[in-house]
């Protein structure tokens, strides 16, 4: 052997076959007789040979990888979606790159360029700006893209999402039906489509309700626990006579931050403030006050998106761009109850 890392030439020498036969065993085993195949496999085990997958991919012009660009890797929602993506990809012999844009547009664009250079088969993305120029360019460069947790504005690409307008309506209607008339919507930034849709749903429900209802917008800089705490401090600082009696948060992390402030200030949830979150992550049920939340089918979102991406990347003639939209579900827990 010429160095410490055995190559195909070394396997061929030990097995007593040609390099071409070793290549067939690795890539087209059906072309090789069972006796020869077993001899080559025994030599691979003896030498500890590991194929150079990178070199093979470069020759083929494409890798056995796809990527998922998430908006916030610290949010358990995206981890659950990624689990569904991985399940489908792994079944097809694919590897998933997980990239975190961290709600930063320039970082998102940088990842998209790097992934194109890496020749991934396609990209799943929860985008900061679904209409972004770099994102729109990807399919034209031979890189399929599927939007995840975000509805495509047209039929030029696939998307998998939940009806967030309906989700907002479910959350707001629940709070109105439990007796609340002054309700805060906690969420932001408004550039995030999901935030806009959930707020729109809340507005729809407020307008449709049979008695006057006030929706107070409390903008946040991000969808994080820390921003939820800041929103909670602002809420607590309002005069009791004008303070909302309930809050609908654009995601569960904001709601959990809000709950922390209520507990720290000695205020009761739901007696002083009822709270509804969105996503129904695992921590929602495990919170000190179990959180009412709008549930999204997180792993199903990931599995469905990955399947659509792999179909498109394989160039299947039957593939058509689809805009899949799931219905959300309200899960009621102790953080809300009927006003007396």
């Amino acid at each position: 052997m010429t160095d410490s890392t055995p190559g195909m030439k070394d396997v061929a020498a030990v097995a007593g076959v040609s390099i071409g036969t070793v290549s067939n065993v690795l890539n087209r085993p059906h072309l090789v007789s069972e006796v020869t195949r077993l001899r080559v496999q025994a030599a691979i085990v003896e030498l500890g040979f590991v194929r150079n997958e990178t070199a093979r991919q470069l020759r083929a012009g494409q890798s056995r990888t796809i990527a998922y660009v998430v908006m916030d890797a610290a949010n358990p929602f995206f981890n659950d979606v990624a689990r569904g993506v991985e399940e489908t990809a792994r079944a097809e012999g694919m590897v998933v790159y997980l990239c975190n844009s961290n709600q930063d547009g320039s970082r998102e664009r940088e990842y998209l360029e790097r992934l194109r250079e890496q020749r991934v088969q396609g990209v799943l993305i929860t985008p900061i700006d679904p209409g972004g120029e770099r994102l729109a360019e990807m399919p034209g460069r031979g890189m399929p893209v599927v939007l995840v947790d975000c509805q495509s504005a047209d039929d030029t690409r696939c998307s998998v999402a939940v009806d967030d307008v309906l989700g907002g309506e479910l959350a707001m209607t629940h709070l109105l039906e439990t007796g609340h008339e002054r309700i805060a919507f906690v969420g932001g930034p408004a550039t995030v489509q999901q935030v806009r849709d959930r707020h729109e749903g809340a507005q729809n429900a407020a307008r449709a309700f049979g008695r006057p209802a006030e929706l107070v917008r409390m903008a946040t800089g991000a969808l994080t626990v820390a921003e939820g705490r800041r929103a909670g401090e602002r809420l607590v600082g309002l005069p009791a006579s004008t303070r909302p009696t309930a809050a609908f948060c654009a995601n569960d992390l904001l709601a959990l931050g809000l709950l922390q402030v209520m507990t720290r200030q000695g205020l009761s949830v739901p007696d002083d403030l009822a709270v509804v979150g969105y996503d129904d992550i695992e921590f929602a049920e495990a919170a000190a006050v179990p959180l009412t939340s709008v549930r999204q089918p997180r792993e199903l979102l990931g599995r469905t998106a990955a399947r659509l991406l792999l179909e498109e990347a394989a160039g299947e003639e039957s593939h058509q761009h689809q805009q899949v939209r799931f219905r959300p579900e309200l899960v009621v827990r102790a953080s809300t109850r009927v006003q007396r």
Side-chain angles (χ1 to χ4, degrees):
M1 288 181 282
T2 57
D3 57 41
S4 61
T5 304
M8 288 176 59
K9 182 178 180 181
D10 304 308
V11 174
V14 171
V17 298
S18 68
I19 293 176
T21 298
V22 175
S23 176
N24 281 337
V25 170
L26 293 171
N27 300 299
R28 297 171 293 278
H30 62 282
L31 298 178
V32 185
S33 70
E34 183 179 2
V35 171
T36 301
R37 187 168 69 248
L38 291 174
R39 195 161 72 244
V40 171
Q41 289 171 344
I44 288 173
V45 172
E46 178 185 338
L47 295 170
F49 168 79
V50 178
R51 69 189 297 169
N52 188 335
E53 183 66 13
T54 301
R56 188 193 70 79
Q57 291 171 359
L58 286 172
R59 289 192 297 272
Q62 197 171 52
S63 70
R64 295 289 296 168
T65 57
I66 61 174
Y68 179 26
V69 183
V70 303
M71 191 179 291
D72 179 9
N75 187 339
F77 168 80
F78 292 112
N79 295 330
D80 291 342
V81 175
R83 190 177 295 115
V85 171
E86 183 195 26
E87 180 183 320
T88 297
R90 187 169 180 269
E92 297 297 326
M94 304 290 288
V95 173
V96 181
Y97 290 152
L98 185 63
C99 306
N100 177 30
S101 71
N102 205 35
Q103 302 184 50
D104 181 335
S106 62
R107 188 165 168 172
E108 179 182 275
R109 290 189 294 273
E110 180 182 334
Y111 269 129
L112 291 174
E113 186 59 33
R114 294 290 176 269
L115 292 169
R116 191 176 70 85
E117 292 171 359
Q118 291 292 323
R119 302 181 183 181
V120 298
Q121 287 203 20
V123 174
L124 302 163
I125 183 169
T126 303
I128 296 166
D129 177 13
E133 183 178 344
R134 182 66 55 84
L135 195 59
E137 291 174 351
M138 298 290 281
R141 296 182 175 187
M143 185 71 63
V145 171
V146 174
L147 304 185
V148 184
D149 192 37
C150 178
Q151 194 78 20
S152 178
D154 53 45
D155 60 0
T156 60
R157 57 193 170 194
C158 291
S159 66
V160 180
V162 168
D163 187 342
D164 282 327
V165 174
L166 174 60
E169 291 172 354
L170 291 173
M172 187 68 174
T173 298
H174 171 66
L175 291 172
L176 291 167
E177 288 178 345
T178 52
H180 298 280
E181 297 180 350
R182 187 180 301 113
I183 300 167
F185 176 82
V186 181
T191 53
V192 176
Q193 183 66 50
Q194 295 91 323
V195 173
R196 295 199 301 272
D197 287 348
R198 293 165 195 179
H199 182 249
E200 178 184 340
Q203 288 179 311
N204 292 347
R207 283 193 294 266
F209 202 65
R211 64 172 185 271
E214 181 183 358
L215 184 62
V216 180
R217 183 72 181 264
M218 298 196 72
T220 62
L223 298 165
T224 63
V225 173
E227 284 292 312
R229 285 194 291 262
R230 293 187 187 100
E233 289 162 0
R234 296 194 333 253
L235 259 175
V236 169
L238 294 174
S241 59
T242 60
R243 184 189 305 153
T245 60
F248 167 36
C249 299
N251 78 351
D252 285 342
L253 296 185
L254 290 169
L256 292 172
L258 199 62
L259 283 173
Q260 289 177 4
V261 173
M262 296 300 108
T263 301
R264 194 178 301 154
Q265 295 291 331
L267 297 174
S268 171
V269 174
D271 293 331
D272 294 311
L273 184 77
V275 181
V276 177
Y278 203 107
D279 291 336
D280 196 32
I281 60 175
E282 187 175 348
F283 296 131
E285 187 173 10
V289 180
L291 180 66
T292 295
S293 185
V294 179
R295 176 179 292 166
Q296 300 200 68
R298 303 177 300 279
E299 292 191 25
L300 180 58
L301 281 169
R303 290 195 299 269
T304 305
R307 175 180 58 79
L308 291 174
L309 183 68
L310 293 174
E311 286 177 1
E312 185 173 355
E316 295 183 13
E317 292 185 6
S318 61
H319 176 79
Q320 294 183 336
H321 291 317
Q322 299 178 48
Q323 281 69 54
V324 180
R325 189 164 63 170
F326 295 105
R327 287 180 63 89
E329 173 191 359
L330 182 71
V331 180
V332 178
R333 299 192 181 97
S335 69
T336 60
R337 70 165 172 249
V338 177
Q339 293 287 94
R340 298 189 184 280

